[in-house]
Amino acid sequence: MSKVEEFEDLRPLLFSIAYRILGSVGEAEDAVQETWLRYDASPTRPTSVKAFLSATVTRVAIDVLRSARVRREEYVGPWFPEPLLSDPYEDPARAAELADSVSMAALLLLERLSPLERSVFVLREVFAFGFDEIAVAVGRTEAACRQLLVRARRHMQAGRPRFDADRQERQELATRFFDALREGDVDGLRKLLAADVSMAGDGGGKAPQLARSVIGAENVARLLASVFPLLARVDVTFEQHEINGRPGAIFRDRDGRVLHIIALDMLEGRIQTIRSVINPDKLGHLGPVADAWAVDREVKRARRRPE
């Protein structure tokens, strides 16, 4: 097998590692590309190509994350991960770990960890790497990696998100939610929301976004029921789509360009969290991006016009 073939065979794994460390599709793709350049330039063949490439992409991702954390501290409004429509890496033996670890809730929890803790946690808990491989990847001793994992587990378990386990039930609840959203049905929405549901949006200062999180079933239902019929009046449409392993939807303007996404977290038959990503910098990998400010101006005009 050639170098290119070996690399392409492992690309899905490398991307999945990098995305969980970085929470960014674009940065993960760049990390994978840098890993290829280093592998291609290496004069010798490693004993284990998988171990070599996994270690390399982890080190690259750690370096990127250290600089990205500074930018995220200065980010305007809530910071959410770039939406991922499908994880390219599959492992039936670890399907549950892979699905849970890519959710927005889990990625936001990982943000609390240091770059080293985050990398060790991802490699061990999600991908089941041995401590000898992890030690090489992060440049620490095996004993140090075990300590890093203990600290990471403590942080993660303290806020570990809980989800409804049944995928079909989640999809059915999402369908009812989006049907009620399309109809502007306040009562229908209220019945599907947890009492303490929260809704927040990531615009990054580059698109219209909520000034603050909206909390409570009544507040969220009324806001949703007032806004989305107006969006429909300016020809905004949406299609249900899995976002980061959880139910969600992609919203598009009249020309089919991506306006924003919505991702839902659910527990005990109710929607617990609604997250929207409208920052255009985080949507480009999904297709052509809409001008959210222009849509917002149309919505304001539609609000002033009688139907």
Side-chain angles (χ1 to χ4, degrees), residues 169-190:
E169 288 181 7
R170 292 200 307 260
Q171 291 299 337
E172 289 174 354
L173 178 57
T175 296
R176 288 160 57 201
F177 170 81
F178 285 115
D179 285 346
L181 187 63
R182 187 179 284 109
E183 296 167 8
D185 180 358
V186 176
D187 290 336
L189 287 167
R190 189 190 299 112

Side-chain angles (χ1 to χ4, degrees), residues 142-259:
E142 290 187 38
C145 289
R146 292 179 187 276
Q147 287 302 311
L148 286 165
L149 181 63
V150 168
R151 292 203 297 270
R153 280 175 173 166
R154 189 182 304 128
H155 286 299
M156 293 296 287
Q157 288 170 357
R160 183 179 292 277
R162 296 169 58 213
F163 302 112
D164 280 341
D166 190 289
R167 183 172 183 175
Q168 183 174 344
E169 288 181 7
R170 292 200 307 260
Q171 291 299 337
E172 289 174 354
L173 178 57
T175 296
R176 288 160 57 201
F177 170 81
F178 285 115
D179 285 346
L181 187 63
R182 187 179 284 109
E183 296 167 8
D185 180 358
V186 176
D187 290 336
L189 287 167
R190 189 190 299 112
K191 292 174 183 177
L192 302 174
L193 302 174
D196 59 349
V197 62
S198 67
M199 183 172 71
D202 175 349
K206 299 184 177 183
Q209 67 186 68
L210 295 170
R212 61 182 64 86
S213 296
V214 180
I215 307 295
E218 184 68 26
N219 294 331
V220 171
R222 289 193 176 280
L223 178 61
L224 290 172
S226 65
V227 170
F228 285 94
L230 288 170
L231 287 173
R233 287 176 63 185
V234 299
D235 300 322
V236 170
T237 58
F238 63 83
E239 70 234 23
Q240 284 186 238
H241 202 294
E242 197 166 82
I243 307 287
N244 287 73
R246 294 292 178 265
I250 302 172
F251 288 72
R252 300 181 186 275
D253 71 2
R254 61 167 55 92
D255 297 316
R257 296 172 299 190
V258 178
L259 177 62

Side-chain angles (χ1 to χ4, degrees), residues 89-164:
Y89 179 71
E90 297 180 359
D91 180 354
R94 303 194 64 77
E97 291 89 345
L98 289 168
D100 283 349
S101 66
V102 83
S103 72
M104 284 205 173
L107 291 172
L108 287 169
L109 200 54
L110 282 169
E111 284 287 305
R112 302 180 186 180
L113 307 182
S114 72
L116 285 178
E117 289 171 344
R118 185 166 182 162
S119 301
V120 170
F121 185 89
V122 166
L123 291 176
R124 181 63 180 176
E125 297 293 282
V126 181
F127 295 99
F129 277 71
F131 280 105
D132 55 337
E133 298 170 301
I134 297 172
V136 172
V138 302
R140 296 292 188 273
T141 65
E142 290 187 38
C145 289
R146 292 179 187 276
Q147 287 302 311
L148 286 165
L149 181 63
V150 168
R151 292 203 297 270
R153 280 175 173 166
R154 189 182 304 128
H155 286 299
M156 293 296 287
Q157 288 170 357
R160 183 179 292 277
R162 296 169 58 213
F163 302 112
D164 280 341

